[in-house]
Amino acid sequence: MNPSLKQRLWLQAAERSTLQALDEGRALERGWQRYLLRLALTYATATAVMLALTGSLFLAHSLDAGPGDPSDAPGGRTMTSLSIRAEESTLGVGQSVQMTAEGHFNDGSVEPLTSGVGWTSSDAAIANVDAAGLVRSQAPGSSTIAATVDSIQGSLTVTVVQDPPISLLSIALVPASNTMALQQSVQLAATGTFSDGSTAPAGARGTWRSSDPAVAAVDAGGLVTATGTGRAEITLTEDGQTGLSLIEVPAVIETLRIIPAATRLQVGQSQQLSAQFVYNNGTTSAADQALWSTSDGKVVQVDQSGKADAVGSGPGSATEGGTAPESPAATATITVTQDGFSGAATITVFPPSQVE
């Protein structure tokens, strides 16, 4: 064989062998890549399926045991009943009111139910209710609004009237406070404020009361009379509203007196006097800022503490306490003053040898 031909054939064979090896390597690499891709797709699909199943189970549990569900109550609590609370159950046509469902549990607790509550109306043409418990009145009449959680139900009847009801919001008494003298009387006036913004006299259907009739008594028409000293509250209650007036009857000083009011002393003896204010309720208090004076300093002297000293006596025109007519005696008047009030006491003085 021609050597050149032989060499060319050998080179062609070697080239085909090299290309075949390269093709086999590429094929193996592509196969491995396709295997990895299929494995990744299979893993991703399985993960998505597991997540979907987990989410479905969680959602199903949430729907079956949402807030307000007795089975979700901690500590084994169970809901035993359900009630509905609303600010108003009587509405005018076109008005609305928010209903709130409250669960009553076997441990005595009461909680508002914010979800999982089904709302229905027995007559939506009179009053309908949405999924959140908002009731809207439509026409005059009555409709029963029901709230249901599982098999537990509560209800409230809503009455719809043609005109919105006017209710009493507050009562004001005039005067709201008053200082009265004993046995004085004053007429209280009552004014009501209503839900439509109007005001009008109140009390026609109300009840008047005094917290202490011994201080201030009140009649059925609101006339208050001060019967004693102290403080009392006068109230008027009507349609669930109460008005208040505070009454104060202070004790008033009637007199200033000296104790003892009369005394008999021998020359050289002393007597401690005291001054007291006497009030209209019968109580007393010390007049500790009083000024003391005597009508005759030659007979009795008195200091500013009220201590009286018998210093002399003189001829008297009358017998004193069994004394002999010829026995001289003298009398002095002791006076005390404070805050515009004054009181007096008499002291009769006998000679030292004179027996009373």
Side-chain angles (χ1 to χ4, degrees), residues 14-349:
E15 183 179 0
R16 283 194 299 270
S17 177
T18 301
L19 291 175
Q20 183 178 0
L22 289 173
D23 291 341
E24 288 178 355
R26 291 191 185 99
L28 181 60
E29 183 178 358
R30 286 195 297 270
W32 178 250
Q33 289 175 350
R34 285 195 297 270
Y35 171 76
L36 291 177
L37 180 60
R38 285 196 300 271
L39 184 61
L41 290 174
T42 301
Y43 178 77
T45 302
T47 301
V49 170
M50 290 300 294
L51 289 174
L53 289 174
T54 302
S56 298
L57 290 173
F58 178 77
L59 179 60
H61 176 73
S62 298
L63 292 174
D64 290 339
D69 192 311
S71 64
D72 197 39
R77 288 192 310 153
T78 57
M79 190 169 69
T80 57
S81 62
L82 189 152
S83 61
I84 297 176
R85 177 171 52 84
E87 292 185 0
E88 292 285 346
S89 60
T90 301
L91 304 174
V93 175
Q95 290 186 322
S96 61
V97 65
Q98 179 64 53
M99 300 283 180
T100 301
E102 294 182 333
H104 299 252
F105 293 83
N106 60 348
D107 62 355
S109 62
V110 180
E111 295 179 5
L113 307 177
T114 57
S115 62
V117 182
W119 294 92
T120 58
S121 171
S122 65
D123 193 339
I126 293 175
N128 57 43
V129 61
D130 64 13
L134 181 64
V135 175
R136 294 181 177 87
S137 60
Q138 305 295 323
S142 295
S143 177
T144 299
I145 306 300
T148 304
V149 175
D150 289 340
S151 59
I152 302 176
Q153 186 179 84
S155 63
L156 179 68
T157 299
V158 172
T159 301
V160 181
V161 296
Q162 187 63 46
D163 297 319
I166 299 175
S167 58
L168 179 63
L169 299 181
S170 63
I171 298 175
L173 298 184
V174 178
S177 62
N178 195 27
T179 299
M180 302 175 63
L182 194 62
Q183 301 304 319
Q184 180 186 359
S185 295
V186 63
Q187 178 65 53
L188 297 181
T191 301
T193 300
F194 296 85
S195 56
D196 63 351
S198 64
T199 58
R205 302 184 310 277
T207 301
W208 292 89
R209 288 189 176 89
S210 171
S211 63
D212 191 348
V215 173
V218 60
D219 65 12
L223 181 65
V224 178
T225 301
T227 55
T229 57
R231 295 181 178 181
E233 294 181 353
I234 305 300
T235 57
L236 169 63
T237 302
E238 183 174 340
D239 295 341
Q241 303 298 325
T242 299
L244 173 68
S245 178
L246 300 177
I247 302 297
E248 182 174 4
V249 185
V252 178
I253 298 174
E254 289 187 333
T255 60
L256 178 61
R257 68 184 180 185
I258 296 176
I259 297 177
T263 189
R264 298 153 65 91
L265 298 175
Q266 289 183 350
V267 173
Q269 291 183 324
S270 298
Q271 174 69 52
Q272 180 63 54
L273 305 176
S274 63
Q276 289 184 340
F277 287 117
V278 180
Y279 295 85
N280 58 349
N281 62 355
T283 61
T284 62
S285 67
D288 50 10
Q289 301 297 320
L291 297 177
W292 295 86
S293 62
T294 178
S295 63
D296 191 344
K298 295 180 179 180
V299 176
V300 178
Q301 294 181 352
V302 62
D303 64 15
Q304 292 308 305
S305 70
K307 179 174 178 292
D309 297 315
V311 295
S313 62
S317 59
T319 61
E320 293 284 347
T323 60
E326 65 275 14
S327 300
T331 300
T333 300
I334 306 300
T335 303
V336 64
T337 59
Q338 183 176 331
D339 299 335
F341 294 87
S342 64
T346 58
I347 297 179
T348 302
V349 180

